[in-house]
Amino acid sequence: AVLTGPEAMDFRRTILTTGSAAIRRKFIGRPAAEIAVAAGITRPWPIQLIVVGAGDADVESATALAREKMAPFLSLFTVADTAAGIALGLQLLAIEGSGHTAAIHTGSKASALAYANAMPASRILVNSPATQGVIGLTTGLPPSLTLGCGYFGGNSTNDNVTFTHLRNVKHLAFANTGLQA
């Protein structure tokens, strides 16, 4: 359900805390249909995802709409061009933390490359749903449910963390001096 202006206002009042700073705890992890009912949002079909328009004020105040969400709703930011999209992406990463992932949907390879070069993130996804792409379902990245943020996020790895990172391996290594052990 892509919300209209009045629906978005009702959503903010009901689902977000005062000032829209956070999602009310009772809605975290709840189904979209349940959240929609609480906010008075109806559609003639089952609601599985809620899309809420967001803007500059959400970024400036770092509201819940400018942060990661643990609920089935997305913030929709609209920008004028690639440069504005890159600037917005940088602002959002500054709020939530750099390093993990950034995603862009575009038909322009030049825009995708400009975005990738600018974003301080270890994984740049192009034309992929971020949740599925980052764990490898749609992108060919190594399958994982644990992700490192690497240099950008102050972590030791930027990999999709797999069993190879979690096993304890002891290495016996001889110097390459030409001597036989």
Side-chain angles (χ1 to χ4, degrees):
V2 178
L3 304 187
T4 64
E7 288 175 328
M9 288 174 33
D10 290 341
F11 177 90
R12 286 173 184 259
R13 273 194 301 274
T14 307
I15 308 306
L16 305 180
T17 61
T18 304
S20 299
I23 302 168
R24 294 185 195 279
R25 286 180 174 243
K26 66 182 178 180
F27 297 113
I28 294 174
R30 305 306 308 157
E34 183 180 318
I35 293 170
V37 167
I41 299 162
T42 60
R43 294 292 186 272
W45 59 82
I47 296 175
Q48 297 180 333
L49 178 69
I50 299 169
V51 179
V52 185
D56 292 341
D58 293 301
V59 176
E60 291 163 8
S61 300
T63 72
L65 297 180
R67 296 181 169 279
E68 184 175 15
K69 297 143 195 67
M70 300 304 280
F73 73 88
L74 300 174
S75 303
L76 178 62
F77 291 91
T78 303
V79 296
D81 55 27
T82 300
I86 290 171
L88 175 62
L90 291 169
Q91 289 177 295
L92 293 173
L93 284 177
I95 292 169
E96 273 298 293
S98 298
H100 192 296
T101 305
I104 182 173
H105 293 268
T106 181
S108 165
K109 187 173 183 177
S111 293
L113 290 172
Y115 185 81
N117 285 330
M119 289 300 110
S122 297
R123 283 169 267 328
I124 308 297
L125 309 179
V126 180
N127 298 332
S128 172
T131 301
Q132 289 81 14
V134 74
I135 64 172
L137 293 178
T138 62
T139 58
L141 292 172
S144 176
L145 296 176
T146 304
L147 308 168
C149 293
Y151 166 79
F152 300 114
N155 294 158
S156 62
T157 185
N158 65 352
D159 288 339
N160 280 13
V161 179
T162 68
F163 75 94
T164 60
H165 297 92
L166 303 175
R167 63 184 177 166
N168 188 16
V169 177
K170 182 186 284 188
H171 298 277
L172 174 62
F174 291 92
N176 291 327
T177 61
L179 300 175
Q180 294 290 327

